[in-house]
Amino acid sequence: MTESTDSPPRYSPLHAVHVAAGATFTDFAGWQMPVRYSSDLAEHHAVRSAAGLFDLSHMAEFEVSGAEAGAFLDHALAGRLSAIELGQAKYSLLLAPEGGIIDDLVVYRTGDSDFLVVANASNHDPVAAALADRIDGFDAMLRDTSDETALIAVQGPGSRAILEATAGFEAPGLDELRYYRAIEGTFRGERVLVARTGYTGEDGFELYVHPDLAEAVWTAVAEAGADKGIVPAGLASRDTLRLEAGMPLYGHELSLETFPVQAGLGRVPAMAKAAFVGREALEQGPATDAPVLVGLVADGRRAARADYAIYAEAADDAATEPIGVVTSGALSPTLGHPIAMAYVAPRFAEPDTELSVDIRGTRLTFRTTTLPFYRRKKD
């Protein structure tokens, strides 16, 4: 969560719907967003077993168009975006010249010379500034469409059946849409970009619509899923879902001080392509003793939380120095035991290494493990 500012809070176009549903709100990047409606556990389990309905309208969207739109994105981002197919999505990174991560984003190719870049809400301003700075010299246009876009996610094993039953919604080819692909759909004749993407570790879809259409889409999807187990879900359950799936969160696992290779994202930058911002720094790499991201698991019920110190020794020896720090942690609702992501010194990163985490003055044993903690069963 971000710190409060003096700026007035921003509200999703679905805010009135959330209020009527009894949501509890939290400040996220200056937006008042629903953190939960009923309980974190109920919403989490609904996504794993049926479906959850999320409002992600605080996310940042940018359209890039023009003859050299692909070449511009190849220069500005760390992936080969010009090579993705029409209707394909790709996870990428926006790097600082020094190699740190400004943001992780998803890029969709929506036309021969058109792309949609989706960034984290908390990084709207630095992403906008970096893209605007890097577009000079390219025959391309950048347009911030964040205020023109509402984003609704339907996540869970029942998500496709619910969308297919949604009155007024049409998306020919939905049944054949592959993961990280997008198609054009309509709702009551109005355009909807339908993407098979998400941040929960489950099958699901994200619907990009005009804000004026958001409430009607949300209501229609909720009605279609009423007998299929769908529930509105807030940011708290989204966080435990993405944690189980081993997905990084900016400000926790990713930052300007983090190189992609440290976060397990070393394959995201396309090092074989022509120069992109940050490439020289990546070629040099971080220091050999720079911490790396690992998963942690433990028995019992006490969870390690963000910023908890990690030690190599299990004993309560105040003289020892930490060898790492927890970035995200929770008692896994799906697995029933504590899980966490953490940065540790490389020599402690081997799977099944026993470490200890200081949990409110008591050091408890955790074991390193590979990510993710949870993988959904494929159809």
Side-chain angles (χ1 to χ4, degrees), residues 192-267:
V192 178
L193 179 65
V194 184
R196 199 161 200 167
T197 48
Y199 191 56
T200 63
E202 291 297 335
D203 189 17
F205 300 84
E206 294 181 318
L207 310 177
Y208 294 84
V209 304
H210 191 278
D212 292 346
L213 202 61
E215 186 170 334
V217 171
W218 178 281
T219 301
V221 173
E223 290 175 351
D227 62 350
K228 297 177 176 63
I230 198 169
V231 302
L235 295 182
S237 63
R238 191 168 182 255
D239 190 51
T240 51
L241 289 159
R242 70 91 191 168
L243 174 58
E244 290 182 342
M247 296 177 170
L249 174 64
Y250 197 90
H252 288 247
E253 288 73 42
L254 307 178
S255 72
L256 278 171
E257 287 70 48
T258 309
F259 276 62
V261 68
Q262 293 176 257
L265 301 176
R267 294 185 178 181

Side-chain angles (χ1 to χ4, degrees), residues 138-151:
F138 290 92
D139 182 9
M141 293 181 58
L142 173 69
R143 196 166 75 88
D144 185 346
T145 58
S146 303
D147 291 342
E148 303 167 29
T149 309
L151 176 54

Side-chain angles (χ1 to χ4, degrees), residues 302 305 308 357-362:
R302 296 188 67 184
R305 304 293 182 180
Y308 284 11
V357 179
D358 188 326
I359 300 180
R360 297 183 179 180
T362 301

